[in-house]
Structure formats: structure tokens, C-alpha cells
Amino acid sequence: MNVIVFSKRLGRARQIELGRPLAATVTIGLIVTILAGVLFAGVQLGRSNVFAPTAQVADWGRRLEEQRQQVVDARQELQNRLDALAGRVGQMNAHVIRLDALGRRLTEMAHLDKGEFDFDRVPAVGGPEALAESALVAAPDISSMLDTLSRQIKDRERQLSVLESLISTRNLSRQIVPGGRPVMQGWISSYFGQRTDPFNGRTVYHKGIDFAGPAGSQVVAVAAGVVTYSKDRFGYGKTVEINHGNGYVTRYAHNQRTLVTPGDTVQKGQAIALIGSTGRSTGPHLHFEVLKNGRAIDPMSFVRQ
Ligand SMILES: [Zn+2]
């Protein structure tokens, strides 16, 4: 390395050549000085409390703002859900009101004692209109509304089920007690009780009523029930038996053909066989029996209904 020095005194430039070790020392010294300066300046800036804390505060502020927004969003979300829930409660309330109307109508239709049923009780909470008016709904309100509704629904459920069983029992008893004629065409040719046997002239006990009618015309069930027998039976010919519950069984004998099989459910008035003359019979007729708890009774009172 060469260093050129200008000297006024000498009036000319003098060139001094520095050795390599010296040049390296000077260079390192310069670099160290610059680094120290930068470091000092940095420490001074840090001590001056101007830049770094401001950035931190700004960061905190940003986070706080984010969290504030999250709280606002969560609150809005909750409110939306509450509003939706309130809407559902309103709908449920409307259903209860409709159920009450149905219950009142059924009670009237069935001519039941109104004292037993209380579909007129005014609901403890307002209807859907009242809910729609209030823009904001608080959570505890919803909770108590749901409790009240739940109680009401349980109460109505109980009342309606009692009502249903009362009505269905009444319809059932109307359906399962034998009533009406077992034939579509024909006339009574023999009554229940003692009579002279048409085959041997002896006095015998006739356990049913005979209906003389055109062969092939319909034999119908006198009440709803389940078919328990449908085939040939000694003396009776092709026979159908129907169990109606409550101890009632009806028997239809001497048919040309049976139209049902055991296990079939039949309705009152349903065709179950065709009039014929099978078995111990002198001509086309239906032998009709009503059994109560296994004993043949006079079907006349039922036929007259
Ligand atoms: Zn008979």
C-alpha cells in the first residue's frame, strides 16, 4: 500500500509506502470504529423511548380491535340464534293453539264432559305475533318459554290420548258388537231355539237363525273382527267363523263358497261367503250363530239392530 503525503514545507509530494501488516491494521481499525458508531447510535435510539414501544402499542391496539370485533361478531351470532329460537318457540306455540282447537272440537263432537278436558286454558306466554314485535329476545326468556311450552304440550298430549281412547273405544264397541243381517238377500226361515229337525222329525235345539236366500248371493260379516275358521265343518258344510273380541264369535254355515281365510281382518258388512247348501241342509240358506263366551245365544236381538 502506498500513501502519498503533500508537504507545504517541502513543496512537493512525498510517497510513503506502508507495509502490508500496517495496511491491514488500519483497515480493521476503521471497520471497528464504524461498527462501534453504529452500535452506539442504536443503543441511543433504543434509550430514547421513541420508536420500539410505539410499535408495540400499535400492535396491542390492533389485537384489541380484533378481539373487540370478535366479541361483536359472537354477540351478533348469539342474537341471530336467539331470534331463530324465538321464531321456533312462536311456531310451537301456534301448534299448541291449533291442538287446543282440535281438542275442543273433538270434545264437542264426542259429546264428552267438557269438565274433564281443558283445552281452553290460555297459554302462559304470548303468541308468535308478540314475539315478532320484540326485536331482541333475551336467553332466559326463551328458556322459560320453552319450559312453559313443554308443560303445555305434555298436558295436551295426555288429554288428547285420553280423548282418543274414549272415542276409539266407543267406535270399536259400535263396530265389534254384532248387529244387522248377515245376508244381502233372503228371509228368516227358522228361528233360534227348540224346533223339529227337518231330517228326522225329532225335537232339537236350533242354535242359530236360518236365512233362506238365493244361492250365490253374499253372506256378510255382522261386525268387524278376525276370521278364525274358514273350511268344511261336520254338518255345517263350508263354514266361516269370526272372532269379534269381548267374547263374541259369529258363525256362518252351509255356504257354497267361502271368501276369506283364517287370520283375515274383516269389516262390518264385508262379504265373507256365498249362500249355498253344503253340509246338513235341505236347500240354499245361511245358518247364522252368535256365540258369547263359547255359548250360542239368540242372534235375533242383534239381527234386528
Ligand atoms: Zn240352521
Coordinates of all heavy atoms in Angstrom, one line a residue, residues 146-231:
L146 N -89.8 -22.0 26.7 CA -89.7 -23.4 26.3 C -90.2 -24.3 27.5 O -90.9 -25.3 27.2 CB -88.2 -23.8 26.0 CG -87.7 -23.3 24.7 CD1 -86.2 -23.6 24.6 CD2 -88.4 -24.0 23.6
D147 N -89.9 -24.0 28.7 CA -90.4 -24.8 29.8 C -92.0 -24.8 29.8 O -92.6 -25.8 30.0 CB -89.9 -24.1 31.2 CG -88.5 -24.5 31.4 OD1 -88.0 -25.3 30.7 OD2 -87.9 -23.9 32.3
T148 N -92.5 -23.6 29.7 CA -94.0 -23.5 29.7 C -94.6 -24.3 28.5 O -95.6 -25.0 28.7 CB -94.4 -22.0 29.5 OG1 -93.7 -21.2 30.5 CG2 -95.9 -21.8 29.7
L149 N -94.0 -24.1 27.3 CA -94.5 -24.9 26.2 C -94.4 -26.4 26.4 O -95.3 -27.1 26.1 CB -93.7 -24.5 24.9 CG -94.2 -23.3 24.1 CD1 -93.3 -23.0 23.0 CD2 -95.6 -23.7 23.6
S150 N -93.3 -26.8 26.9 CA -93.1 -28.2 27.2 C -94.2 -28.7 28.1 O -94.8 -29.8 27.9 CB -91.7 -28.4 27.8 OG -91.6 -29.7 28.2
R151 N -94.5 -28.0 29.2 CA -95.5 -28.4 30.1 C -96.9 -28.5 29.4 O -97.6 -29.4 29.5 CB -95.6 -27.4 31.3 CG -94.7 -27.7 32.4 CD -95.1 -27.0 33.7 NE -95.3 -25.6 33.5 CZ -94.2 -24.7 33.6 NH1 -93.0 -25.2 33.9 NH2 -94.4 -23.4 33.4
Q152 N -97.2 -27.4 28.6 CA -98.4 -27.4 27.9 C -98.6 -28.6 26.9 O -99.6 -29.2 26.8 CB -98.5 -26.1 27.0 CG -98.9 -24.9 27.8 CD -99.1 -23.7 26.9 OE1 -98.4 -23.6 25.9 NE2 -100.0 -22.8 27.3
I153 N -97.5 -28.9 26.2 CA -97.6 -29.9 25.2 C -97.8 -31.3 25.9 O -98.6 -32.1 25.5 CB -96.3 -30.0 24.4 CG1 -96.3 -28.8 23.4 CG2 -96.2 -31.3 23.6 CD1 -95.0 -28.5 22.7
K154 N -97.1 -31.5 27.0 CA -97.3 -32.7 27.8 C -98.8 -32.9 28.2 O -99.4 -33.9 28.1 CB -96.4 -32.8 29.0 CG -95.1 -33.4 28.7 CD -94.3 -33.8 30.0 CE -92.9 -34.1 29.7 NZ -91.9 -33.2 30.3
D155 N -99.3 -31.8 28.7 CA -100.7 -31.7 29.2 C -101.7 -32.0 28.1 O -102.6 -32.9 28.3 CB -101.0 -30.4 29.8 CG -102.4 -30.2 30.3 OD1 -102.7 -31.0 31.3 OD2 -103.2 -29.4 29.8
R156 N -101.5 -31.4 26.9 CA -102.4 -31.6 25.8 C -102.3 -33.0 25.3 O -103.2 -33.6 24.9 CB -102.1 -30.6 24.7 CG -102.2 -29.2 25.0 CD -103.5 -28.9 25.8 NE -103.7 -27.4 25.8 CZ -103.5 -26.7 26.9 NH1 -102.9 -27.2 28.0 NH2 -103.7 -25.4 26.9
E157 N -101.0 -33.5 25.3 CA -100.8 -34.9 24.8 C -101.6 -35.9 25.6 O -102.3 -36.8 25.1 CB -99.3 -35.2 25.0 CG -98.8 -36.3 24.1 CD -97.3 -36.5 24.2 OE1 -96.7 -35.9 25.1 OE2 -96.7 -37.1 23.3
R158 N -101.5 -35.7 27.0 CA -102.3 -36.6 27.9 C -103.8 -36.5 27.6 O -104.4 -37.5 27.4 CB -102.0 -36.1 29.3 CG -102.5 -37.1 30.4 CD -102.3 -36.5 31.8 NE -102.9 -35.1 31.9 CZ -104.2 -34.9 32.0 NH1 -105.0 -35.9 32.1 NH2 -104.6 -33.6 32.1
Q159 N -104.3 -35.3 27.5 CA -105.7 -35.1 27.3 C -106.1 -35.7 25.9 O -107.2 -36.3 25.9 CB -106.0 -33.6 27.3 CG -105.9 -32.9 28.6 CD -106.7 -31.6 28.7 OE1 -107.8 -31.6 28.5 NE2 -106.0 -30.6 29.1
L160 N -105.3 -35.4 24.9 CA -105.7 -35.9 23.6 C -105.7 -37.5 23.6 O -106.5 -38.1 22.9 CB -104.8 -35.4 22.5 CG -105.1 -33.9 22.1 CD1 -104.0 -33.4 21.2 CD2 -106.4 -33.8 21.4
S161 N -104.7 -38.1 24.3 CA -104.7 -39.5 24.3 C -105.9 -40.1 25.0 O -106.4 -41.1 24.6 CB -103.3 -40.0 24.8 OG -103.4 -40.1 26.2
V162 N -106.3 -39.5 26.1 CA -107.5 -40.0 26.8 C -108.7 -39.8 25.9 O -109.5 -40.7 25.7 CB -107.7 -39.1 28.1 CG1 -109.1 -39.5 28.7 CG2 -106.6 -39.4 29.1
L163 N -108.8 -38.7 25.2 CA -109.9 -38.4 24.3 C -109.9 -39.4 23.2 O -111.0 -40.0 22.8 CB -109.7 -37.0 23.7 CG -110.9 -36.3 23.1 CD1 -112.0 -36.2 24.1 CD2 -110.4 -34.9 22.7
E164 N -108.7 -39.7 22.6 CA -108.6 -40.7 21.5 C -109.1 -42.1 22.0 O -109.9 -42.7 21.3 CB -107.2 -40.8 21.1 CG -107.0 -41.6 19.8 CD -105.6 -42.2 19.6 OE1 -104.8 -42.1 20.6 OE2 -105.4 -42.8 18.6
S165 N -108.7 -42.5 23.2 CA -109.1 -43.8 23.6 C -110.6 -43.9 23.9 O -111.2 -44.9 23.6 CB -108.3 -44.2 24.8 OG -108.7 -43.5 26.0
L166 N -111.1 -42.8 24.4 CA -112.6 -42.7 24.7 C -113.4 -42.9 23.4 O -114.3 -43.7 23.2 CB -113.0 -41.4 25.3 CG -112.8 -41.3 26.8 CD1 -113.1 -39.9 27.3 CD2 -113.8 -42.3 27.5
I167 N -112.9 -42.1 22.3 CA -113.6 -42.1 21.1 C -113.5 -43.4 20.3 O -114.4 -44.0 19.8 CB -113.1 -40.9 20.2 CG1 -113.6 -39.6 20.8 CG2 -113.7 -41.1 18.8 CD1 -113.0 -38.4 20.1
S168 N -112.2 -44.0 20.4 CA -112.0 -45.2 19.6 C -112.7 -46.4 20.3 O -113.2 -47.2 19.6 CB -110.5 -45.5 19.5 OG -109.9 -45.7 20.7
T169 N -112.7 -46.4 21.6 CA -113.5 -47.4 22.3 C -114.9 -47.4 22.0 O -115.5 -48.4 21.7 CB -113.3 -47.3 23.9 OG1 -112.0 -47.2 24.2 CG2 -114.0 -48.4 24.6
R170 N -115.5 -46.2 21.9 CA -116.9 -46.0 21.5 C -117.1 -46.6 20.1 O -118.0 -47.3 19.8 CB -117.3 -44.6 21.6 CG -118.8 -44.4 21.4 CD -119.1 -42.9 21.5 NE -118.9 -42.4 22.8 CZ -119.2 -41.2 23.2 NH1 -119.7 -40.3 22.3 NH2 -118.9 -40.7 24.4
N171 N -116.2 -46.1 19.1 CA -116.4 -46.6 17.8 C -116.2 -48.1 17.7 O -116.9 -48.8 16.9 CB -115.3 -45.9 16.9 CG -115.7 -44.5 16.5 OD1 -116.9 -44.2 16.7 ND2 -114.8 -43.7 16.0
L172 N -115.2 -48.6 18.5 CA -114.9 -50.1 18.5 C -116.2 -50.8 18.9 O -116.6 -51.8 18.3 CB -113.7 -50.3 19.4 CG -112.9 -51.6 19.1 CD1 -112.3 -51.5 17.7 CD2 -111.9 -51.8 20.2
S173 N -116.7 -50.4 20.1 CA -117.9 -51.1 20.6 C -119.0 -51.1 19.6 O -119.8 -52.1 19.5 CB -118.3 -50.6 21.9 OG -118.8 -49.3 21.8
R174 N -119.1 -50.0 18.8 CA -120.2 -49.9 17.8 C -119.9 -50.9 16.7 O -120.7 -51.5 16.1 CB -120.2 -48.5 17.3 CG -121.6 -48.2 16.6 CD -121.6 -46.7 16.2 NE -121.6 -45.8 17.3 CZ -121.1 -44.6 17.2 NH1 -120.6 -44.1 16.1 NH2 -121.2 -43.8 18.3
Q175 N -118.6 -51.1 16.4 CA -118.1 -52.0 15.4 C -118.1 -53.5 15.7 O -118.4 -54.3 14.9 CB -116.7 -51.6 14.9 CG -116.6 -50.5 13.9 CD -116.7 -51.0 12.5 OE1 -116.0 -51.9 12.1 NE2 -117.7 -50.5 11.8
I176 N -117.7 -53.8 16.9 CA -117.5 -55.2 17.2 C -118.7 -55.9 17.8 O -118.7 -57.2 17.8 CB -116.3 -55.4 18.2 CG1 -116.5 -54.8 19.6 CG2 -115.0 -54.9 17.6 CD1 -115.5 -55.2 20.6
V177 N -119.7 -55.2 18.3 CA -120.9 -55.9 18.7 C -121.7 -56.3 17.5 O -122.0 -55.4 16.7 CB -121.7 -55.1 19.8 CG1 -123.0 -55.8 20.1 CG2 -120.9 -54.9 21.0
P178 N -122.0 -57.6 17.3 CA -122.7 -58.0 16.1 C -124.0 -57.2 16.0 O -124.7 -56.9 17.0 CB -123.0 -59.5 16.4 CG -122.0 -59.9 17.3 CD -121.7 -58.7 18.2
G179 N -124.3 -56.8 14.8 CA -125.6 -56.1 14.6 C -125.9 -56.1 13.1 O -125.0 -56.0 12.2
G180 N -127.2 -56.2 12.8 CA -127.6 -56.2 11.4 C -127.8 -57.7 10.8 O -127.4 -58.6 11.5
R181 N -128.2 -57.7 9.6 CA -128.4 -59.0 8.9 C -127.2 -59.5 8.3 O -126.4 -58.7 7.7 CB -129.5 -58.9 7.9 CG -130.9 -58.8 8.4 CD -131.9 -58.1 7.4 NE -131.8 -58.7 6.1 CZ -132.6 -59.7 5.7 NH1 -133.6 -60.1 6.5 NH2 -132.5 -60.2 4.5
P182 N -126.9 -60.8 8.3 CA -125.7 -61.4 7.7 C -125.9 -61.7 6.2 O -124.9 -62.3 5.6 CB -125.5 -62.7 8.5 CG -126.9 -63.1 9.0 CD -127.7 -61.9 9.1
V183 N -127.0 -61.4 5.7 CA -127.2 -61.7 4.2 C -127.7 -60.4 3.5 O -128.3 -59.5 4.2 CB -128.3 -62.8 4.0 CG1 -127.7 -64.1 4.4 CG2 -129.6 -62.5 4.7
M184 N -127.4 -60.3 2.3 CA -127.9 -59.2 1.5 C -129.3 -59.4 1.0 O -130.1 -58.5 0.9 CB -126.9 -58.9 0.3 CG -125.5 -58.7 0.6 SD -125.3 -57.2 1.7 CE -125.4 -55.9 0.5
Q185 N -129.6 -60.7 0.7 CA -130.9 -61.0 0.2 C -131.4 -62.2 1.0 O -130.6 -63.1 1.4 CB -130.9 -61.4 -1.3 CG -130.5 -60.3 -2.2 CD -130.3 -60.9 -3.6 OE1 -131.2 -61.4 -4.2 NE2 -129.1 -60.7 -4.2
G186 N -132.7 -62.4 1.2 CA -133.2 -63.6 1.9 C -134.1 -63.2 3.1 O -134.3 -62.0 3.4
W187 N -134.7 -64.2 3.6 CA -135.7 -64.0 4.7 C -135.4 -65.1 5.8 O -134.8 -66.1 5.5 CB -137.1 -64.1 4.2 CG -137.4 -65.5 3.6 CD1 -138.0 -66.5 4.2 CD2 -137.1 -65.9 2.3 NE1 -138.1 -67.6 3.4 CE2 -137.6 -67.3 2.2 CE3 -136.5 -65.4 1.2 CZ2 -137.4 -68.0 1.0 CZ3 -136.3 -66.1 0.0 CH2 -136.8 -67.4 0.0
I188 N -135.9 -64.8 7.0 CA -135.6 -65.7 8.1 C -136.6 -67.0 7.9 O -137.8 -66.8 7.8 CB -135.9 -65.1 9.4 CG1 -134.9 -64.0 9.7 CG2 -135.8 -66.1 10.6 CD1 -135.1 -63.1 10.9
S189 N -136.0 -68.1 7.8 CA -136.7 -69.3 7.6 C -136.8 -70.2 8.8 O -137.6 -71.1 8.9 CB -136.2 -70.1 6.4 OG -134.8 -70.4 6.6
S190 N -136.0 -69.9 9.8 CA -136.0 -70.7 11.0 C -135.4 -69.9 12.2 O -134.4 -69.3 12.0 CB -135.3 -72.0 10.8 OG -135.4 -72.8 12.0
Y191 N -136.1 -69.9 13.3 CA -135.6 -69.1 14.5 C -134.7 -70.0 15.4 O -134.6 -71.2 15.3 CB -136.8 -68.5 15.2 CG -137.5 -67.4 14.4 CD1 -138.5 -67.7 13.6 CD2 -137.0 -66.1 14.4 CE1 -139.2 -66.7 12.8 CE2 -137.6 -65.1 13.7 CZ -138.7 -65.4 12.9 OH -139.3 -64.4 12.2
F192 N -134.2 -69.3 16.4 CA -133.3 -69.9 17.4 C -134.2 -70.6 18.4 O -135.3 -70.2 18.8 CB -132.6 -68.7 18.1 CG -131.7 -69.2 19.3 CD1 -130.4 -69.5 19.0 CD2 -132.1 -69.2 20.6 CE1 -129.5 -69.9 20.0 CE2 -131.3 -69.5 21.6 CZ -130.0 -69.9 21.4
G193 N -133.7 -71.8 18.9 CA -134.4 -72.5 20.0 C -134.9 -73.8 19.5 O -134.5 -74.4 18.5
Q194 N -135.9 -74.4 20.3 CA -136.4 -75.7 20.0 C -137.1 -75.8 18.7 O -137.9 -74.9 18.4 CB -137.2 -76.2 21.2 CG -136.4 -76.7 22.3 CD -137.2 -77.4 23.4 OE1 -138.5 -77.3 23.4 NE2 -136.6 -78.0 24.3
R195 N -136.9 -76.8 17.9 CA -137.7 -76.9 16.7 C -137.6 -78.4 16.3 O -136.9 -79.2 16.9 CB -137.1 -76.1 15.6 CG -135.7 -76.5 15.1 CD -135.3 -75.9 13.8 NE -134.1 -76.5 13.3 CZ -133.5 -76.1 12.2 NH1 -133.9 -75.0 11.5 NH2 -132.4 -76.6 11.8
T196 N -138.4 -78.7 15.3 CA -138.4 -80.1 14.8 C -137.4 -80.2 13.7 O -137.3 -79.4 12.8 CB -139.8 -80.4 14.2 OG1 -140.8 -80.1 15.2 CG2 -139.9 -81.8 13.7
D197 N -136.5 -81.2 13.9 CA -135.5 -81.4 13.0 C -136.0 -81.8 11.6 O -136.9 -82.6 11.5 CB -134.6 -82.6 13.5 CG -133.3 -82.7 12.6 OD1 -133.4 -83.2 11.5 OD2 -132.2 -82.2 13.1
P198 N -135.6 -81.0 10.5 CA -136.1 -81.3 9.2 C -135.8 -82.6 8.6 O -136.4 -83.1 7.7 CB -135.5 -80.2 8.4 CG -134.3 -79.7 9.1 CD -134.6 -80.0 10.5
F199 N -134.8 -83.3 9.2 CA -134.3 -84.6 8.6 C -135.0 -85.8 9.3 O -135.4 -86.7 8.7 CB -132.8 -84.7 8.7 CG -132.1 -83.9 7.7 CD1 -131.7 -82.6 8.0 CD2 -131.9 -84.4 6.4 CE1 -131.1 -81.8 7.0 CE2 -131.2 -83.7 5.5 CZ -130.8 -82.4 5.8
N200 N -135.1 -85.7 10.7 CA -135.7 -86.9 11.4 C -136.9 -86.6 12.2 O -137.4 -87.5 12.8 CB -134.6 -87.6 12.2 CG -134.0 -86.6 13.2 OD1 -134.7 -85.6 13.6 ND2 -132.8 -86.8 13.6
G201 N -137.4 -85.4 12.2 CA -138.6 -85.1 12.8 C -138.5 -85.0 14.3 O -139.5 -84.7 15.0
R202 N -137.3 -85.2 14.9 CA -137.2 -85.1 16.4 C -137.1 -83.6 16.8 O -136.7 -82.8 16.1 CB -136.0 -85.9 16.8 CG -136.2 -87.4 16.7 CD -135.0 -88.1 17.5 NE -133.7 -87.8 16.9 CZ -132.7 -88.6 17.0 NH1 -132.7 -89.7 17.8 NH2 -131.5 -88.2 16.5
T203 N -137.5 -83.4 18.1 CA -137.3 -82.1 18.6 C -135.8 -81.8 19.0 O -135.3 -82.6 19.7 CB -138.2 -81.9 19.9 OG1 -139.5 -82.2 19.5 CG2 -138.1 -80.5 20.4
V204 N -135.3 -80.8 18.4 CA -133.9 -80.5 18.7 C -133.8 -79.0 19.0 O -134.7 -78.2 18.8 CB -133.0 -80.8 17.4 CG1 -132.9 -82.3 17.2 CG2 -133.5 -80.1 16.2
Y205 N -132.6 -78.7 19.5 CA -132.3 -77.3 19.8 C -131.6 -76.6 18.6 O -130.5 -77.0 18.3 CB -131.4 -77.2 21.1 CG -131.5 -75.9 21.8 CD1 -132.7 -75.6 22.6 CD2 -130.5 -75.0 21.7 CE1 -132.8 -74.4 23.2 CE2 -130.6 -73.8 22.4 CZ -131.7 -73.5 23.1 OH -131.8 -72.3 23.8
H206 N -132.2 -75.6 18.0 CA -131.6 -74.9 16.9 C -130.7 -73.8 17.5 O -131.3 -72.8 18.1 CB -132.7 -74.4 15.9 CG -132.1 -73.9 14.7 ND1 -132.6 -72.7 14.1 CD2 -131.2 -74.3 13.8 CE1 -131.9 -72.5 13.0 NE2 -131.1 -73.5 12.8
K207 N -129.4 -73.8 17.2 CA -128.5 -72.9 17.9 C -128.3 -71.6 17.1 O -127.4 -70.8 17.5 CB -127.2 -73.6 18.1 CG -127.2 -74.7 19.1 CD -125.9 -75.1 19.7 CE -125.0 -75.8 18.6 NZ -123.7 -76.1 19.1
G208 N -129.1 -71.4 16.0 CA -128.9 -70.1 15.3 C -130.2 -69.8 14.6 O -131.3 -70.2 14.9
I209 N -130.0 -68.9 13.6 CA -131.2 -68.4 12.8 C -130.8 -68.8 11.3 O -129.7 -68.7 10.9 CB -131.4 -66.9 12.9 CG1 -131.9 -66.5 14.3 CG2 -132.3 -66.4 11.8 CD1 -132.1 -65.0 14.4
D210 N -131.8 -69.3 10.6 CA -131.6 -69.6 9.2 C -132.2 -68.5 8.3 O -133.2 -68.0 8.6 CB -132.3 -70.9 8.8 CG -131.7 -72.1 9.5 OD1 -130.5 -72.0 9.9 OD2 -132.3 -73.2 9.6
F211 N -131.4 -68.1 7.3 CA -131.9 -67.2 6.3 C -131.9 -67.9 5.0 O -130.9 -68.3 4.4 CB -130.9 -66.0 6.2 CG -130.9 -65.1 7.4 CD1 -130.1 -65.3 8.5 CD2 -131.7 -63.9 7.4 CE1 -130.0 -64.5 9.5 CE2 -131.7 -63.1 8.5 CZ -130.8 -63.4 9.6
A212 N -133.1 -68.1 4.4 CA -133.2 -68.7 3.1 C -133.0 -67.6 2.1 O -133.4 -66.5 2.3 CB -134.6 -69.3 2.9
G213 N -132.1 -67.9 1.1 CA -131.8 -66.8 0.1 C -131.3 -67.5 -1.2 O -131.0 -68.7 -1.2
P214 N -131.2 -66.7 -2.2 CA -130.7 -67.2 -3.5 C -129.2 -67.7 -3.4 O -128.4 -67.0 -2.8 CB -130.8 -66.0 -4.4 CG -130.9 -64.8 -3.6 CD -131.5 -65.2 -2.3
A215 N -129.0 -68.9 -3.9 CA -127.7 -69.5 -3.9 C -126.7 -68.5 -4.6 O -127.1 -68.0 -5.7 CB -127.7 -70.8 -4.6
G216 N -125.6 -68.3 -4.0 CA -124.5 -67.5 -4.7 C -124.6 -66.0 -4.2 O -123.8 -65.2 -4.6
S217 N -125.7 -65.6 -3.5 CA -125.7 -64.2 -3.0 C -124.8 -64.1 -1.8 O -124.5 -65.1 -1.2 CB -127.2 -63.8 -2.7 OG -127.7 -64.5 -1.6
Q218 N -124.5 -62.8 -1.5 CA -123.4 -62.6 -0.5 C -123.9 -62.8 1.0 O -125.0 -62.4 1.4 CB -122.9 -61.1 -0.6 CG -122.0 -61.0 -1.8 CD -121.5 -59.6 -1.9 OE1 -122.0 -58.6 -1.3 NE2 -120.4 -59.4 -2.7
V219 N -122.9 -63.4 1.7 CA -123.0 -63.5 3.2 C -122.1 -62.5 3.7 O -120.9 -62.4 3.3 CB -122.6 -64.9 3.7 CG1 -122.6 -64.9 5.2 CG2 -123.6 -66.0 3.1
V220 N -122.5 -61.6 4.6 CA -121.6 -60.5 5.1 C -121.4 -60.6 6.6 O -122.2 -61.1 7.4 CB -122.2 -59.1 4.8 CG1 -122.3 -58.9 3.3 CG2 -123.6 -58.9 5.5
A221 N -120.2 -60.1 7.0 CA -119.9 -60.1 8.5 C -120.8 -59.1 9.2 O -121.0 -58.0 8.7 CB -118.4 -59.7 8.6
V222 N -121.3 -59.5 10.3 CA -122.2 -58.6 11.1 C -121.4 -57.6 12.0 O -122.0 -56.7 12.6 CB -123.2 -59.3 11.9 CG1 -124.2 -60.1 11.0 CG2 -122.5 -60.3 12.9
A223 N -120.1 -57.8 12.1 CA -119.3 -56.9 12.9 C -117.8 -57.1 12.4 O -117.5 -58.1 11.8 CB -119.4 -57.2 14.4
A224 N -117.0 -56.1 12.7 CA -115.6 -56.2 12.4 C -115.0 -57.3 13.3 O -115.4 -57.6 14.4 CB -114.9 -54.9 12.7
G225 N -113.9 -58.0 12.8 CA -113.3 -59.0 13.6 C -112.2 -59.7 12.8 O -111.8 -59.3 11.7
V226 N -111.7 -60.8 13.3 CA -110.7 -61.6 12.7 C -111.3 -63.0 12.4 O -111.9 -63.6 13.2 CB -109.5 -61.7 13.6 CG1 -108.4 -62.6 13.0 CG2 -108.9 -60.4 14.0
V227 N -111.0 -63.4 11.2 CA -111.5 -64.8 10.7 C -110.7 -65.8 11.5 O -109.5 -65.8 11.5 CB -111.4 -64.9 9.2 CG1 -111.7 -66.3 8.8 CG2 -112.2 -63.9 8.5
T228 N -111.4 -66.8 12.1 CA -110.7 -67.8 12.9 C -110.9 -69.2 12.3 O -110.2 -70.2 12.6 CB -111.1 -67.9 14.3 OG1 -112.6 -67.9 14.4 CG2 -110.7 -66.6 15.1
Y229 N -111.9 -69.3 11.3 CA -112.2 -70.6 10.7 C -112.8 -70.3 9.4 O -113.6 -69.5 9.2 CB -113.2 -71.3 11.6 CG -113.4 -72.8 11.3 CD1 -112.7 -73.8 12.0 CD2 -114.3 -73.2 10.3 CE1 -112.8 -75.1 11.7 CE2 -114.5 -74.5 10.0 CZ -113.7 -75.5 10.7 OH -113.9 -76.8 10.4
S230 N -112.4 -71.1 8.4 CA -112.9 -71.0 7.0 C -112.7 -72.2 6.2 O -111.8 -72.3 5.4 CB -112.3 -69.8 6.3 OG -112.9 -69.6 5.0
K231 N -113.5 -73.3 6.5 CA -113.5 -74.5 5.8 C -114.7 -75.4 6.1 O -115.5 -74.9 6.9 CB -112.1 -75.2 6.0 CG -111.9 -75.6 7.4 CD -110.6 -76.4 7.6 CE -110.3 -76.7 9.0 NZ -109.0 -77.3 9.3

